[in-house]
Structure formats: C-alpha cells, structure tokens
Amino acid sequence: MNNLSVEHLTGIKDLTKNDIELIFKTADSFKDVINRPIKKVPSLRDITIANLFFENSTRTRLSFELAEKRLSADVINFSAANSSVKKGETLIDTVNNILAMKVDLVVMRHPNPGAAKFLSERIDAKVVNAGDGTHEHPTQALLDAYSIREQLGPDFKGKKVVIVGDIRHSRVALSNIYCLQKLGAEVMVCGPTTLIPKHIEELGVLVEHDLKKALAWCDVANMLRIQLERQDIQFFPSLREYSMLFGLTKEILDSLDKKIVVMHPGPINRGVEISSDVADSDQSIILQQVENGVAIRMAVIYLLAAQISR
C-alpha cells in the first residue's frame, strides 16, 4: 500500500499501523536525501504550503519549513503574533484569506484542542496538525517512534517505553501513547500524581510514581518538560523538588543494570527534567530526534501532497 488511509494528519488516533509504517518507509528514503551533498528533491515543485502558527514555536516551525524546502515546495510563513488575528479576525477568515492565494497544504499549530480537525472539515486543502493545545502533536510522536525504531529495530512488540513528566498538559504524551501502542509497544507514564490524568489507565498504559522503578522497567525513557505556560495552578511545590524526584541524572542512569535509550522532545529544561550530562551522553538520542523530525515531516507532507488532484 502506497497511500495513506487519511486525507489530513490531525492526530495519530486516526492512523492505522500501515499508515505509520508507510510514513517510516518514506522517511527512510528522505533521510538518505538530507544526508546527501545536494539535500533537495523536486518532488513538490508545484505545491504551495502555508505554515500557520497561532502559538510560539521554534523547533517545530523550523523543522517543517526545512522539510518543505527540501521537497522544493513554495512556503508561506504566518505568525499570529504579527497578524490580523490580533485585530479579531477568526481562524476560518484568516485561513480562507490564505487559501485565496492558492495554497495546497496547511501546517497549523493552535492553542485550542481540535482546531486542526475543525479546520480540515471546512477548507479545501490538506491539513497537518503541528500541535493543538493539550490534545495531539502527531509528527512529534512519529519522529519519536521512528527514532526508537532506529535504535531498537523495527519490531516494537515487547518494547517498553516510559514517558516521564507533565503528562496532564502534554500533547506529545498522548500522541506517543497512541503511536507506540499501534506499533505494539508497552507504555508506562511516570510523574507526580497531580500531573497524571485521572483516567489515563483507560488508554491501556501503566502508571508509576517512582522514577527509579519506571527506569528499571523500561527500554526507552522519553523525558518531557514541565509545561508551566499551560498551568493555571501550581501542581507541585517547586521545580527543585520536582527535579529531585523526577529529574534524570547520570547517577540514576549509571545505577541501572542495563543501558536504556534517553529521549526528549525539546525544548530541554536542563537541570530540571534532565541533567546536562545525561542530555549530552551516548545514551541520549535527542539530536537524532531533531534530524529525524525533518525526514518524518518530509514524508508526511509528501504523502498528503500525493493525494492532491491538480
């Protein structure tokens, strides 16, 4: 099968295992491209893509922009901070004005959960969700799983992944849970009781509040940052206390009787959820995740653009 079963990428929940494996296979080819001396292919030379970011972003926006340019697409960048949204223009009006410029595909980050899905049902262009509030961040989950596949092989069955930190506010956690489970991995979440959603076990994940026990169980630890910008109340006494209980240090890593893979979706709060010597260690694949992000986003955009009727 060489086609995605979906017309938009609004969330991992909508993808099949075949979709995920097709994205990985396509990303393999593009990874070869971005490691060549000439890093561009003319695949999307006649496609126009708009990046609409209604929330601040550096890494994700740059990664998407680079992916689009590597595919030779025409790129329009839109930042809500400098736009008519500040004057009261609605999301649909903003997007329709951009589509009037004959845009084929929209990559959108928005603070409201469900915004990408809402948009995909109302506009005549492909939509890629680059993060919608605390809901999903599908391309991050895909690049995380792709990075694990590189380290541990293509068969996820029996692989154990713990996601540590602010699960309550993390769209990365939810997308990762969906993605890893579809591929056959076992998933555990770990963090303070206040940062673990009440009914998360219903998703089929294990819950652990002791970091050392979680690390002894897992093959891969994905360390999430504390999302202070999404917290309207205080969920733990202090960052120092959080770090003492849930921060991953070299001492903890070295005390394990096996080598585990350490990941982080970024941006890193060094000294809070992860120490610098762990982030920069040979067990960390944080920089590989960044590189893989470009290949995965190239694959997603390429596969969705292939469905556009010219």
Side-chain angles (χ1 to χ4, degrees):
M1 190 186 82
N2 291 317
N3 297 314
L4 291 175
S5 68
V6 292
E7 289 188 21
H8 310 275
L9 181 60
T10 56
I12 298 289
K13 200 173 185 181
D14 306 321
L15 298 182
T16 65
K17 186 182 179 189
N18 285 340
D19 288 329
I20 296 169
E21 286 172 350
L22 174 61
I23 291 167
F24 287 174
K25 195 172 127 194
T26 311
D28 286 340
S29 306
F30 287 133
K31 196 151 182 203
D32 291 340
V33 169
I34 59 180
N35 284 306
R36 294 188 324 208
I38 297 171
K39 297 173 173 59
K40 264 188 149 178
V41 286
S43 310
L44 302 187
R45 208 163 33 195
D46 56 347
I47 296 287
T48 304
I49 301 174
N51 296 318
L52 311 188
F53 280 75
F54 294 87
E55 256 188 343
N56 290 338
S57 169
T58 303
R59 289 157 308 103
T60 302
R61 186 174 55 78
L62 290 176
S63 181
F64 268 110
E65 192 177 338
L66 191 56
E68 292 149 10
K69 288 178 175 175
R70 293 275 185 262
L71 291 165
S72 303
D74 291 322
V75 180
I76 300 168
N77 285 313
F78 169 94
S79 165
N82 310 313
S83 74
S84 296
V85 172
K86 291 282 185 194
K87 302 173 189 172
E89 185 171 81
T90 67
L91 171 61
I92 288 291
D93 285 339
T94 300
V95 174
N96 280 335
N97 279 309
I98 289 165
L99 292 182
M101 302 170 197
K102 304 294 182 247
V103 167
D104 302 292
L105 193 146
V106 172
V107 174
M108 184 173 78
R109 170 167 288 192
H110 200 279
N112 294 343
K117 179 102 173 121
F118 172 84
L119 193 64
S120 70
E121 292 164 351
R122 286 162 178 80
I123 67 168
D124 186 24
K126 302 294 176 189
V127 175
V128 178
N129 180 8
D132 58 335
T134 54
H135 180 229
E136 277 218 53
H137 191 352
T139 56
Q140 181 69 48
L142 288 165
L143 77 88
D144 287 348
Y146 183 79
S147 301
I148 292 170
R149 171 179 171 264
E150 275 189 339
Q151 297 296 311
L152 303 181
D155 186 6
F156 280 75
K157 203 159 184 58
K159 301 288 188 290
K160 296 175 176 177
V161 182
V162 65
I163 304 169
V164 182
D166 188 357
I167 311 298
R168 179 188 285 269
H169 301 97
S170 175
R171 52 192 170 209
V172 173
L174 188 58
S175 285
N176 262 280
I177 289 165
Y178 289 145
C179 189
L180 291 165
Q181 286 179 337
K182 286 185 183 200
L183 291 166
E186 295 174 48
V187 185
M188 175 186 280
V189 293
C190 176
T193 311
T194 50
L195 290 178
I196 305 277
K198 262 186 188 161
H199 304 292
I200 197 159
E201 287 106 326
E202 290 171 18
L203 293 178
V205 301
L206 299 167
V207 176
E208 178 57 70
H209 300 295
D210 183 317
L211 178 65
K212 288 181 183 173
K213 284 184 187 171
L215 296 174
W217 172 86
C218 76
D219 302 304
V220 179
N222 197 348
M223 310 301 294
L224 305 181
R225 74 184 176 88
I226 296 298
Q227 302 206 16
L228 294 172
E229 74 277 11
R230 296 190 196 282
Q231 298 182 12
D232 46 3
I233 61 169
Q234 204 165 348
F235 287 89
F236 48 86
S238 68
L239 282 178
R240 184 171 174 274
E241 183 164 327
Y242 175 87
S243 180
M244 285 168 66
L245 291 171
F246 296 100
L248 182 54
T249 63
K250 197 80 172 71
E251 187 185 353
I252 294 171
L253 210 53
D254 292 343
S255 72
L256 302 174
D257 59 4
K258 59 181 176 180
K259 273 203 148 190
I260 62 167
V261 176
V262 177
M263 309 175 70
H264 195 303
I268 303 171
N269 291 319
R270 287 175 182 258
V272 179
E273 69 272 2
I274 190 168
S275 65
S276 280
D277 50 3
V278 172
D280 302 329
S281 73
D282 61 352
Q283 285 172 254
S284 159
I285 59 166
I286 295 169
L287 293 179
Q288 289 95 309
Q289 286 174 268
V290 175
E291 183 185 337
N292 290 338
V294 177
I296 283 288
R297 288 168 178 131
M298 285 175 79
V300 166
I301 290 163
Y302 174 80
L303 290 166
L304 288 176
Q307 301 174 357
I308 296 169
S309 51
R310 308 306 294 170

